[in-house]
Amino acid sequence: MAEIDRYRPEDRRQVEALYRRVFGPDAAEANRLRWDWQYRRNPNVPADGPLIWIAREGSTVIGQYAAMPVRASVSGQEIAAAWGMDVMVAPERQRQGLGDVLFRTWDRAVGASLGLGLSDASFRLFKKLGWPVVGPVPCLVKPLSRRALRRPSWPMAVNRFVSYVTLPWVRLVARTRPLHGEVSTIRQFDDGFTRLWTRIGGRFAFAVRRDAAYLNWKYIQTPHVRYTIAALRRDNEVAGYAVYRHAQEPRGRVTLLVDLLTDPDDHAGLLTLLRWVDREARAADSDKIRTFAMHEGFRKLLRKSGYYPVKSTMEFVAKVNAVKVGADFYKSTDLWHVTLGDSDQDR
Ligand SMILES: CC(C)(COP(=O)(O)OP(=O)(O)OC[C@H]1O[C@@H](n2cnc3c(N)ncnc32)[C@H](O)[C@@H]1OP(=O)(O)O)[C@@H](O)C(=O)NCCC(=O)NCCS
């Protein structure tokens, strides 16, 4: 029978070897590069070390549940929550109930247990264990060039035809619009962002606390990707931000709008940030901008700015333990703020 307890520094080599077996050498190498940042430098990591549980058989590591601790605002109350990630069971020990025990161990220890962008196996296990399914997190795309609508699965002739017939529409939605407000790029989130969160965090029915310490860790100190951050200021006070990066994909260049925040009622502020991102994406020669947004108010403004919904594969499960929430809480997610920047989705 396996024994489950917390991760110890001397487990590192065995955990890395197991990761390589379960996820393959490329993912293992990427994980090695991120590990210290992801599990030790997170400002919410508890004093007794990374939030990782290990399943052992004697001295052999046969499974892991690793989590990212965050503070979350749930209906106006702040609680300790954790995103589940990098969960694995040794191939020869899968489907014998070990995952079940690991998931429950994590859930018992945290105020809310959250999962985003799940593999088929873990999504099924979450559902089997009765976690509320609140996703997928909607995905929206804004076309900027006639290559925006290309799909790798279509033959080139079809792609060319689609580009040709949709060009007038793409030109219309991609046109430049004026900025209202002071936007500038920053290399550090200062206390103004914590004040912004203190002012508006309670407006979301669910959102991870986006204070300066979290934001600097999540978007400035990342070893594996480099983000650009645009800050919106009004009357010398921070009113919002957008985090984005440009990437090359098989059928063109994309700007990923990874995270954004304003007061949900500050429509002018959000539109200004979106227009800034449009300009940056165009300057980077992107064919489209892609984002994930759960909040209905933000999505409405995204649609108004030329984004349109596409199929999302970013599944989302959430279970709140620390405060009492009704079944309705999980059914009406219009005021939940979840983006590609949450959990470890953008890797
Ligand atoms: C996900 C994982 C940790 C589950 O651990 P486990 O010990 O196999 O899980 P359990 O035996 O407790 O639970 C089994 C249940 O999980 C789901 N499940 C596990 N593996 C599955 C698979 N390959 N396909 C479909 N469902 C699967 C099913 O709901 C299954 O129930 P069933 O056997 O009655 O159909 C394990 O399968 C694993 O390491 N997978 C590879 C890595 C991975 O996908 N990690 C998740 C990243 S988000």
Side-chain angles (χ1 to χ4, degrees):
M1 190 56 200
E3 201 188 310
I4 294 181
D5 61 10
R6 287 282 286 280
Y7 171 87
R8 307 172 202 142
E10 59 269 29
D11 294 328
R12 181 85 180 254
R13 251 172 30 115
Q14 277 205 63
V15 169
E16 279 181 9
L18 182 60
Y19 202 101
R20 206 171 303 117
R21 282 180 66 208
V22 173
F23 295 106
D26 291 348
E29 188 48 36
N31 175 60
R32 227 167 53 78
L33 176 70
R34 283 194 317 267
W35 199 92
D36 204 55
W37 165 80
Q38 184 157 341
Y39 293 110
R40 295 225 333 238
R41 288 169 54 203
N42 175 348
N44 294 304
V45 163
D48 60 352
L51 209 52
I52 301 176
W53 287 268
I54 298 292
R56 313 169 193 277
E57 211 159 46
S59 58
T60 308
V61 170
I62 56 168
Q64 153 179 285
Y65 201 108
M68 176 190 284
V70 287
R71 307 286 303 170
S73 176
V74 173
S75 305
Q77 297 188 65
E78 197 174 295
I79 62 171
W83 293 105
M85 54 188 49
D86 289 338
V87 45
M88 58 187 178
V89 166
E92 67 280 5
R93 307 308 301 268
Q94 290 177 10
R95 301 239 51 166
Q96 295 164 29
L98 201 52
D100 181 319
V101 182
L102 281 165
F103 278 47
R104 287 180 202 273
T105 305
W106 157 63
D107 179 52
R108 272 198 304 275
V110 297
S113 43
L114 316 164
L116 195 64
L118 313 162
S119 71
D120 187 44
S122 69
F123 188 43
R124 279 172 198 242
L125 183 49
F126 271 121
K127 284 202 283 196
K128 187 176 167 188
L129 295 174
W131 253 258
V133 176
V134 283
V137 179
C139 180
L140 297 105
V141 168
K142 174 165 182 165
L144 296 178
S145 85
R146 61 197 180 83
R147 292 183 299 274
L149 301 166
R150 284 186 182 176
R151 289 201 185 172
S153 52
W154 289 345
M156 206 51 198
V158 175
N159 273 317
R160 287 217 176 96
F161 179 70
V162 170
S163 296
Y164 173 74
V165 294
T166 55
L167 184 59
W169 171 70
V170 169
R171 282 203 175 129
L172 180 73
V173 296
R175 71 194 183 280
T176 310
R177 306 209 207 165
L179 296 179
H180 301 287
E182 191 195 323
V183 180
S184 57
T185 56
I186 53 167
R187 288 306 306 154
Q188 189 76 20
F189 290 93
D190 61 24
D191 291 346
F193 292 87
T194 305
R195 288 196 295 276
L196 172 68
W197 179 259
T198 309
R199 284 198 307 276
I200 68 170
R203 307 282 314 275
F204 302 106
F206 172 89
V208 164
R209 179 184 165 90
R210 285 153 158 82
D211 59 13
Y214 170 83
L215 294 168
N216 281 320
W217 167 68
K218 201 74 175 51
Y219 300 124
I220 304 278
Q221 293 155 14
T222 40
H224 58 297
V225 277
R226 199 170 159 77
Y227 295 112
T228 308
I229 296 130
L232 173 73
R233 282 199 174 74
R234 211 182 277 126
D235 304 327
N236 275 332
E237 189 54 302
V238 174
Y241 69 80
V243 178
Y244 52 94
R245 69 184 177 93
H246 316 290
Q248 192 63 42
E249 292 187 344
R251 275 283 182 265
R253 211 165 144 73
V254 59
T255 295
L256 295 168
L257 173 50
V258 173
D259 194 20
L260 83 175
L261 184 71
T262 60
D263 182 322
D265 289 335
D266 182 3
H267 296 185
L270 191 79
L271 287 172
T272 298
L273 281 168
L274 294 178
R275 286 175 190 183
W276 171 278
V277 174
D278 285 356
R279 286 165 187 234
E280 292 273 286
R282 249 187 248 106
D285 209 20
S286 282
D287 299 311
K288 58 184 161 191
I289 310 171
R290 185 184 305 123
T291 195
F292 290 81
M294 195 143 196
H295 191 277
E296 170 55 24
F298 290 160
R299 268 186 293 139
K300 212 165 146 184
L301 290 173
L302 284 161
R303 288 194 298 269
K304 206 173 150 190
S305 301
Y307 288 75
Y308 66 94
V310 297
K311 187 176 163 15
S312 171
T313 50
M314 198 154 103
E315 287 300 348
F316 180 23
V317 295
K319 181 167 167 286
V320 174
N321 305 319
V323 291
K324 230 180 151 43
V325 292
D328 249 18
F329 173 77
Y330 300 106
K331 286 197 190 113
S332 48
T333 54
D334 283 357
L335 298 181
W336 291 38
H337 184 40
V338 178
T339 66
L340 179 61
D342 278 301
S343 184
D344 67 344
Q345 276 307 284
D346 190 31
R347 22 154 110 171

